[in-house]
Amino acid sequence: MRSVLVALGVAVALAACLAHSTAQAQTAQAQTAGADLKAGMASDALRLLQQHDAAAAEAAPSPKLSFLAPTPAQTVGEAELERFLSAGAASLRGLHVRDDPAQPPGRDPYFEGDFKRTRHAYLERDLVTYDSGVYAIPGEAAYVGTFSYFGQPTEEWETHPNGSFVVVGKRLGWDGRSDTGIYIAEQAIAGFGLRFVRATPEYLDQFERRHLAAVEAYRREVAEEASGGLDLGAVLALGFGAALIGSSDLPGMDKLRLGQAFVSDVMGEGDGQALLGIARSGLPGGGGLFTGGQSFRTPGLDGLLAGAVTGQAPVAQATAAGGAAQAAQTAATTETFSFTCPAGDRHSIPVTYRNPACGAAMKTFAEVYGCNLIGDFALAGQRCQQACGHPQCAEVR
Amino acid sequence: MVGSCSYRGKIAALAGALLGAGLLAGCDAATTSAAQSLSASEHRAEAARIGAQGSPQFADPKLQAIVRDFEAEYARYGRDAEKLAADAGALCPLAPEEAFKLLKQVGYAEMQAEYAKWGVTSLTDLDAIEVRVVSGDCDAQGVEGPAEIVGRSRGILRTGSGELERVTVTDSVERIRGSWAGGERRGPFRTIAVSRSASFEPGAAGGLAAEATDWAYLAEMRDAPTAMWLYMSHGPAFAADPVVTFTRNPEAALFGTTVVERRADGTGYSRMYQGSELRMEGPTRNGKMHGWQVRHPHSWQGHAVAGGRDCWQDGELVKTTTCPGE
């Protein structure tokens, strides 16, 4: 086969060599013919662009252009990443800039927050990747939340590892819109900008299965033992989306509702649209975007986060003891449910129900997701199904 | 998988050609010419294959009438901008920005702002814009009643930055037929546009340098004019009539047809053809993709291209396994 290709190549090259002089002359002629027209075009374009740029320099920058811009100075570069990887330091926090070749340096995307070590399943080596924080795309959006990284097939000759990022958290748009959900950037190349696309829990579930199958096949192929990284075996049994939502750093209510959507869409008999609906409408979350109350150097982001929280949290008026009846029309009870997680952190979230049994299931659901009790996710969903007739405790929505 | 193997096959063939070329001492241009020859012949064969298919044909009489009209008009004007403007008469006495709005249906500043949101600079040479009348009346207030007009304009689009900055200058001639009432378009409209573009990159001393290629067929593609026919209704008929666009540039193997059928509730359905092959289709809502967009498998230069589908929700791409709007 190779000899045929080489022979073909030689023949084509010979023919091309003979025809080259003629073709070159024709090309030169054609280029000359359009040269005057192009010179006029270039001259006009240059004049108009210079006029435009001069006027723009005096005008106030547009809200979109100034959103999350300019890119702050990087504090976590290759040296810091290498040191974190090799020295075994407990934590790394800072700002890492990625390259967007289509943008000038002042508008490159960047991550700010905590970093973590993770295992690249295909390269069989540890990498440093994002943990929790914000991924900012100047002029476009910020993705705030907990990040997970999944290594993807990377050829030996490739200089950068390939992988996918999943964020469970919030997207804050330049236009002030805020959505909570799951976002995925697939086939990302180390060092280069990430393009996040909203994803549903069912897609994550499918993604997980594809990822696991591919990794298993790869590992069988290279006959090596699996090692390190995320405990994907445990995740598989429980559902990938549930694990990611549970381990996210979102406030309890956001986590609960994302979890409900996940159970509905993946584990239950839902129509698969629960998360889409939530993601589009935004969540009535309490507290802040992070339970940890992080603060960022990102230009304008702290103000943005404060704005995103303002007016979102519904005020629960009832007490945990009895609950206050709402309008007779719905006969629903809303109460503030408080619980303490095994780790000692306390949470309070509003729970609304008609049937007390369903209310109890909701509280269990809230606690399980709020405390990230991964082992109880499935059981909580079953209790919702039994008490409320719905796998996401959706008696009152 | 098939596409992947075929692609590798193509790479191997090219590698073979390049290796062969390397054996030919004394012929400096052989390597480039060999690769050009292979690519150009495959490209031209593909263009000929698609071009021979003609336009898609429809059972729906309204759509089929549009196809027939386009075929007759394309046979008449082709991609000849001068033919398109040959019978244009008196100059419309419009201020440049009014002429822009008459042709583009959007204010000049509004259009600039819209592009700026995406980091793109869009300018029009307002000194060069003109509108002439083929039939009907045009005064300083614009066109009123049934009319046919011809507009000329030069547009400038700047994208990217730094080394990736590109400036595209496009000269267009548009021939627009329809009826205006109170400065607005009303009823069915047909627009024919022939455009020719040139691309530039930052050159020495702050100037612009024309993008150069020594691949003849790429230069041919780049310099060839593109023709576009647009059939669209305005006013009350907006929701009932389909929007049909034909785009033709045989040198670039572009034989596109797009059909968007709309309903009164704001939903619709979009289909995109290359030649007569349906390549992509999906539902729309309020003018945006909403539901599964299906990419049909097809062949390209003899290689299989796999199909697939993407979920769109109100114009936003969403990774999901179920997609409302179906």
Side-chain angles (χ1 to χ4, degrees), chain A residues 121-122 151-153 206-222:
Chain A
Y122 292 88
Q152 287 178 323
Q206 196 185 69
F207 173 84
E208 170 213 14
R209 291 173 198 287
R210 280 203 316 265
H211 178 79
L212 280 174
V215 169
E216 288 302 319
Y218 173 78
R219 285 178 174 164
R220 275 198 302 274
E221 195 177 308
V222 298

Side-chain angles (χ1 to χ4, degrees), chain A residues 211-279:
Chain A
H211 178 79
L212 280 174
V215 169
E216 288 302 319
Y218 173 78
R219 285 178 174 164
R220 275 198 302 274
E221 195 177 308
V222 298
E224 285 181 8
E225 288 289 325
S227 61
L230 184 65
D231 184 2
L232 291 170
V235 171
L236 180 62
L238 298 165
F240 185 52
L244 288 190
I245 294 163
S247 61
S248 73
D249 200 17
L250 285 169
M253 190 60 187
D254 284 2
K255 197 183 286 188
L256 168 65
R257 295 196 52 183
L258 277 173
Q260 285 176 329
F262 173 78
V263 171
S264 170
D265 288 355
V266 181
M267 295 179 175
E269 297 172 350
D271 60 3
Q273 301 313 316
L275 187 94
L276 271 182
I278 283 176

Side-chain angles (χ1 to χ4, degrees), chain A residues 17 53 64 101 104 198 273, chain B residues 27 117 158 161 164 319 322:
Chain A
C17 190
D53 291 346
K64 184 178 192 306
R198 190 194 311 284
Q273 301 313 316
Chain B
C27 186
K117 283 181 189 171
R158 180 175 60 187
S161 63
L164 291 173
K319 297 283 188 178
T322 55

